[in-house]
Amino acid sequence: MDGLGGAWASRGATETLNPIEPRPFHRGWPLSEPARHFELGAILDHPDQDLADFAVRHALGDSHAGWWECDLADERLTWTTGVYEIFGLPLGAAVRRAEILALYCEESRAALEQLRSWSIANAKGFILDTKIRPASGAKERWIRLIGAPVVENGRSVRLHGLKLWL
């Protein structure tokens, strides 16, 4: 597996992975082309987080998954139940981005920060497999992070998406 997770390992031994420059087709997509990609809107834009969790679990079966959002102005995180479970935190615990970043394994954290910056600057979504150490002390685990910026007046103001325990 490479430093960005196993998702890219299956792409072929002859292709070199450049972690600095994300591949637009595989890791990002123009927000103007949402019809070509998974449907996020109905899940992500619903104010009732319990309903959002239900929709995610219904769509993904018994997978551990949840919706997340990060306000870029103050780095405030909003999570549904599934994300708390993934990170081994009690439901409703205060979540601060800096503290959550510390739960990512170093190589995954570096890749996440780089791809996140690229996503915000280019107004494109992303998919990244990362490794975390849950706060509960449970064994390290791989999660898939799917995200897209919310753009207002030509500027990324929030990121939102899904986290899935692989």
Side-chain angles (χ1 to χ4, degrees):
M1 276 192 214
D2 57 42
L4 298 178
W8 312 121
S10 63
R11 298 211 50 214
T14 59
E15 187 172 345
T16 308
L17 178 65
N18 180 351
I20 295 172
E21 177 112 9
R23 291 185 185 103
F25 181 74
H26 294 283
R27 291 203 198 143
W29 63 88
L31 294 177
S32 61
E33 300 178 22
R36 292 183 51 211
H37 306 281
F38 57 91
E39 181 69 36
L40 286 176
I43 295 171
L44 298 176
D45 293 334
H46 202 285
D48 183 345
Q49 289 189 3
D50 291 333
L51 181 58
D53 267 331
F54 171 78
V56 168
R57 289 186 190 279
H58 179 72
L60 299 173
D62 291 331
S63 299
H64 291 281
W67 166 84
W68 63 272
E69 183 174 271
C70 180
D71 186 319
L72 299 177
D74 59 9
E75 300 288 301
R76 185 174 35 91
L77 298 174
T78 305
W79 289 356
T80 59
T81 305
V83 180
Y84 283 96
E85 291 172 359
I86 289 169
F87 282 90
L89 291 165
L91 180 62
V95 288
R96 291 177 181 79
R97 185 167 185 276
E99 293 168 0
I100 299 309
L101 277 175
L103 298 176
Y104 285 83
C105 296
E106 187 175 340
E107 203 170 81
S108 288
R109 182 174 48 248
L112 170 61
E113 287 296 272
Q114 197 167 33
L115 190 53
R116 179 183 191 268
S117 295
W118 174 85
S119 174
I120 292 166
N122 293 285
K124 291 187 179 184
F126 63 93
I127 300 171
L128 179 68
D129 290 350
T130 63
K131 196 173 195 180
I132 64 165
R133 289 179 303 284
S136 63
K139 182 179 165 188
E140 289 180 345
R141 59 182 64 146
W142 284 98
I143 65 170
R144 178 158 294 150
L145 176 57
I146 302 170
V150 174
V151 179
E152 294 176 1
N153 298 321
R155 196 173 133 253
S156 296
V157 295
R158 290 188 312 280
L159 289 175
H160 66 183
L162 297 172
K163 293 185 190 249
L164 301 98
W165 180 354
L166 301 176

